[in-house]
Amino acid sequence: MGKSGVLNGTNTRPWVILLAVIWAALGLPAVGAETQEGRISLHRSPVNGDRFSMEFRDADVKDVLRAIGQERRLNLVVRDDISGKLTLSFQQVTLAEAFEAILKMENLVKVQEGAITRVIPSPFTDGEGQLVTKMVAIQFATAKELSEPIKGLLSKKGSLSADARTNTLIVRDVPESVERIAEIIKQLDSKTPQVMIEARIVEANTNFSREFGIQWGGLRTTQSGNLLTTIHGGATKQKSTDTFADALTGGIGLSGGPFAVNLPASVGEGRGGAFAISFGNLANTLGLDFQLSALEDRGQIKILSSPRILTLSNKEAKISSGTEIFVPNTTIVTGVSGGAGGGGGSTTSGVTTINAKLELTVTPHVTSDGQILLHVKTDKRDPDYTRSVQNLPPLNTRSSETDLLVQDGATIVIGGIYTKNESVAQNGLPWLSKIPVIGWLFKKQVTVDNQTELLVFITTTIYQGV
């Protein structure tokens, strides 16, 4: 194949090549020739001799490379396993630009060995030979956090990995994408402001209870001949030979007779009081016991909790304080012999922990105008030992969760719970306790009024420390 402006495939006739040489020597534009293998046409620009217009139509890749190589006076060797057809059109390009474009398009590389240029298939996959790798050190964020949004910016051939030890992102992509991604990472890796969160949890409890109780009874003994009659409150004996009787109501008055009505208030040492009156005769055949007891209990409790924590913007922070209650795990073992007969036993295999704590969980976000967007959750769990079941206290739980926007340094109330429990209970004898006025001799009344108020205050401050 000569240095003509018109170059054909391997089956080009000699007279066509001779015509092409003469045509090029005269400096005239070349005309392409059709062959069975396709069409290869190179037109040198009449104005700029370094520029060519080229058209390849269903031409063999090896023929196109050889044609351009001869025009550039290259000692070109094209490997035999390179195959494929090529169809394209170039306007006003240099031979070097066309040669490099075809290599990239066909995933080929050139190897320069002295004066000889070899063209071989690229050892990389299609387009991988043009990829570059860049390591970007992360200062304020973590490489793993930034990797998620950056993955969407990669091209189809790009890849991204994070090195946790050095907090570095490794970006591999085409040069244009790598530079763009590196600039975006620099903008995202900015210094994060810190926020001081202070919560004040105020709980006020008011307890009130009042009890009125009554106890009365007595005895009346009469004798007529051999008949002895005694009237008193209900009593029983275990055996007829017993000297003493047990009162069915659980109490005996000063007269010695069991109470007929025994409904006292829950009085005792340090709790409430009672007033008693007894009547009787010297012969101790007539007696009356009457006791009135009353109890009023009133209390006020105010609990103030003030947890505070410093955290980064957009980072969840949690602080807790309280008590851990240990509950033993009991395993019941059956079939254990004990004495003459079989029996059962129990062993303790471990403990379970119940948390009775105050917990504050907060996630702040500092906006561009200096305000703070908060997601706050508070949980307060207190054990109530006054209502324990098998020595395990129940937990009084109060919680709140909300999202709000707060000014820097401002205090805001995020929750208030007001609870009021009122109850009136009566214990007494059926029917008799319903009689107006007289019914008080046959009943006991308990009045309870408990009030609980819970307020949660949040103060946020953007921390200006270095």
Side-chain angles (χ1 to χ4, degrees):
M1 187 177 296
K3 301 177 182 178
S4 62
V6 180
L7 301 172
N8 298 302
T10 57
N11 295 335
T12 304
R13 297 178 181 180
W15 66 267
V16 177
I17 298 177
L18 179 60
L19 179 61
V21 173
I22 298 173
W23 197 278
L26 295 175
L28 298 175
V31 179
E34 297 289 345
T35 72
Q36 293 180 355
E37 296 295 332
R39 184 172 184 270
I40 303 176
S41 177
L42 283 79
H43 301 267
R44 185 188 295 273
S45 172
V47 179
N48 189 343
D50 294 335
R51 299 285 173 175
F52 287 79
S53 296
M54 308 175 191
E55 183 177 348
F56 310 130
R57 185 182 304 168
D58 199 26
D60 190 84
V61 175
K62 291 187 290 186
D63 293 338
V64 173
L65 294 174
R66 291 191 186 103
I68 297 177
Q70 290 181 5
E71 193 69 30
R72 293 183 63 192
R73 295 181 174 85
L74 296 176
N75 297 318
L76 188 65
V77 178
V78 181
R79 217 163 79 172
D80 290 338
D81 59 351
I82 296 176
S83 62
K85 299 295 183 179
L86 192 63
T87 299
L88 55 83
S89 178
F90 289 150
Q91 302 293 328
Q92 299 297 312
V93 298
T94 65
L95 293 174
E97 292 173 342
F99 193 78
E100 293 294 334
I102 294 172
L103 292 180
K104 289 183 179 180
M105 185 169 54
E106 296 298 319
N107 196 28
L108 304 173
V109 293
K110 64 179 181 179
V111 180
Q112 194 70 37
E113 298 175 345
I116 299 175
T117 302
R118 291 192 302 116
V119 176
I120 62 175
S122 174
F124 304 103
T125 58
D126 186 15
E128 189 178 352
Q130 289 77 45
L131 300 182
V132 296
T133 303
K134 186 171 185 177
M135 294 187 296
V136 183
I138 308 302
Q139 300 295 328
F140 301 104
T142 62
K144 184 177 180 181
E145 288 177 335
L146 286 183
S147 62
E148 291 301 323
I150 296 300
K151 286 181 179 178
L153 303 176
L154 296 170
S155 66
K156 294 182 179 179
K157 303 175 183 178
S159 62
L160 180 70
S161 59
D163 182 36
R165 186 181 66 85
T166 59
N167 201 32
T168 301
L169 283 176
I170 304 173
V171 185
R172 180 171 175 77
D173 208 338
V174 295
E176 298 80 5
S177 295
V178 169
E179 294 302 323
R180 183 179 72 255
I181 291 174
E183 184 62 28
I184 294 176
I185 291 176
K186 183 179 179 181
Q187 296 177 13
L188 293 177
D189 186 27
S190 58
K191 189 174 182 179
T192 305
Q194 301 181 91
V195 181
M196 174 66 75
I197 309 296
E198 181 179 0
R200 287 188 293 276
I201 303 175
V202 181
E203 181 179 1
N205 296 328
T206 301
N207 302 320
F208 172 80
S209 64
R210 178 184 293 130
E211 297 183 29
F212 288 104
I214 190 169
Q215 295 169 290
W216 62 268
L219 57 87
R220 169 68 175 172
T221 302
T222 59
Q223 184 174 2
S224 175
N226 296 325
L227 180 62
L228 179 65
T229 305
T230 304
I231 301 175
H232 54 69
T236 183
K237 288 185 177 183
Q238 298 294 330
K239 295 182 295 183
S240 59
T241 57
D242 289 344
T243 305
F244 299 99
D246 296 326
L248 291 179
T249 57
I252 297 176
L254 294 177
S255 64
F259 285 129
V261 176
N262 188 19
L263 297 171
S266 302
V267 298
E269 185 177 354
R271 290 175 55 85
F275 178 76
I277 300 177
S278 294
F279 300 93
N281 58 8
L282 294 178
N284 200 24
T285 59
L286 176 64
L288 176 63
D289 300 311
F290 180 86
Q291 292 188 155
L292 178 66
S293 58
L295 168 67
E296 183 172 300
D297 189 4
R298 186 189 302 268
Q300 291 184 344
I301 302 175
K302 185 175 182 180
I303 302 174
L304 176 63
S305 303
S306 183
R308 63 182 68 187
I309 192 169
L310 179 66
T311 184
L312 291 174
S313 178
N314 300 313
K315 293 288 187 180
E316 181 183 277
K318 180 184 291 186
I319 187 172
S320 63
S321 176
T323 304
E324 291 185 345
I325 302 173
F326 296 101
V327 179
N329 298 330
T330 302
T331 302
I332 299 176
V333 182
T334 60
V336 179
S337 60
S346 64
T347 59
T348 301
S349 58
V351 295
T352 300
T353 302
I354 300 177
N355 290 325
K357 296 182 178 181
L358 168 65
E359 291 185 345
L360 171 66
T361 305
V362 58
T363 305
H365 168 70
V366 180
T367 62
S368 58
D369 58 354
Q371 299 186 85
I372 304 171
L373 183 63
L374 289 176
H375 177 79
V376 181
K377 182 179 180 180
T378 58
D379 286 303
K380 192 173 190 299
R381 297 185 291 271
D382 297 321
D384 186 356
Y385 289 97
T386 61
R387 296 183 295 154
S388 297
V389 177
Q390 295 183 354
N391 296 324
L392 298 179
L395 298 180
N396 297 324
T397 303
R398 303 164 189 83
S399 63
S400 63
E401 184 173 3
T402 185
D403 294 280
L404 63 156
L405 187 65
V406 186
Q407 297 287 341
D408 180 23
T411 300
I412 190 169
V413 181
I414 68 169
I417 302 175
Y418 178 78
T419 304
K420 183 174 182 178
N421 297 323
E422 292 183 346
S423 65
V424 177
Q426 288 186 352
N427 297 322
L429 275 68
W431 304 296
L432 296 178
S433 61
K434 303 294 184 181
I435 301 175
V437 183
I438 299 177
W440 285 101
L441 296 176
F442 303 96
K443 67 182 178 182
K444 168 188 174 182
Q445 180 171 296
V446 180
T447 302
V448 178
D449 183 1
N450 295 331
Q451 301 178 28
T452 301
E453 186 173 9
L454 177 67
L455 295 175
V456 181
F457 301 86
I458 293 290
T459 302
T460 59
T461 306
I462 298 177
Y463 186 63
Q464 302 297 337
V466 180

